[in-house]
Amino acid sequence: MSQSNPLFPGPEPLTPDQRRSPYAGSGVAVADRSPLVELRGVSKQFGDRLILDQVDFAIYPGEAIAIIGPSGTGKSTILRLIAGLIAPDAGEVVILGRKREGLIGDAPDPEEVNLSLVFQQAALFDSLTVAENVGFLLYQNSKLSAQDIQARVDL
């Protein structure tokens, strides 16, 4: 038996598989399950700033995941990639075993899983220009032409 952590007294620490698996102790082998969402070797850069560098990440059924870290380390970028709001520069985003091609709006069929995100604070999309941010709602939810939206944004 390993020694308990003096900073966190309590039961024995969980193994990596127990920490990751909602199936721990159920008799279901780790190899028998597939991730709902997976990032494989994903990289993303904005300008000359590399935000994500070959990130591997998976979310399995029943898991609750928290992504924490300082500002600018890629937390929101990971969420935007998973939601299909932006595409990776390299690597793959896989949803229910299917590689996502392009953005969420490019998919020929609706995804079998609904993905949404809400940011803690109202914010602009840092990957869009000011004009694109201002016109975003119109682009997504109106039948206006791009030219009409641009005219309204330019007011």
Side-chain angles (χ1 to χ4, degrees), residues 14 17 19 37 51-52 57-58 63 65 67 76 89 101 110 112 117 125-126 133 138-141 143 147 150 153:
L14 298 175
D17 281 343
R19 281 194 302 270
V37 176
I51 302 298
L52 300 175
F57 179 79
E63 285 187 325
I65 301 295
I67 303 173
S76 295
D89 296 332
E101 302 289 344
E112 294 176 21
L117 66 126
F125 294 108
D126 57 1
N133 269 288
L138 294 174
Y139 283 113
Q140 294 296 309
N141 299 305
K143 294 183 181 182
Q147 184 177 5
Q150 186 64 45
V153 167

Side-chain angles (χ1 to χ4, degrees), residues 8-145:
F8 302 100
E12 281 295 309
L14 298 175
T15 67
D17 281 343
Q18 289 171 323
R19 281 194 302 270
R20 291 188 60 197
S21 175
Y23 304 103
S26 68
V28 175
V30 172
D32 293 338
R33 62 194 175 103
S34 298
L36 295 172
V37 176
E38 189 173 10
L39 274 60
R40 298 177 185 160
V42 168
S43 296
K44 186 65 182 174
Q45 185 168 330
F46 294 105
D48 61 353
R49 184 158 184 204
L50 182 64
I51 302 298
L52 300 175
D53 187 11
Q54 299 182 354
V55 171
D56 293 318
F57 179 79
I59 302 172
Y60 291 88
E63 285 187 325
I65 301 295
I67 303 173
I68 59 173
S71 179
T73 57
K75 301 175 303 294
S76 295
T77 301
I78 287 172
L79 295 175
R80 288 183 180 121
L81 286 162
I82 292 170
L85 297 175
I86 59 174
D89 296 332
E92 300 176 332
V93 176
V94 180
I95 308 293
L96 294 174
R98 292 188 321 201
K99 180 181 174 190
R100 171 169 286 146
E101 302 289 344
L103 303 178
I104 192 72
D106 298 334
D109 298 321
E111 296 286 340
E112 294 176 21
V113 63
N114 293 319
L115 299 173
S116 301
L117 66 126
V118 177
F119 291 98
Q120 183 174 343
Q121 301 171 3
L124 299 176
F125 294 108
D126 57 1
S127 59
L128 300 181
T129 66
V130 171
E132 290 168 332
N133 269 288
V134 171
F136 184 79
L137 183 66
L138 294 174
Y139 283 113
Q140 294 296 309
N141 299 305
S142 76
K143 294 183 181 182
L144 294 172
S145 69

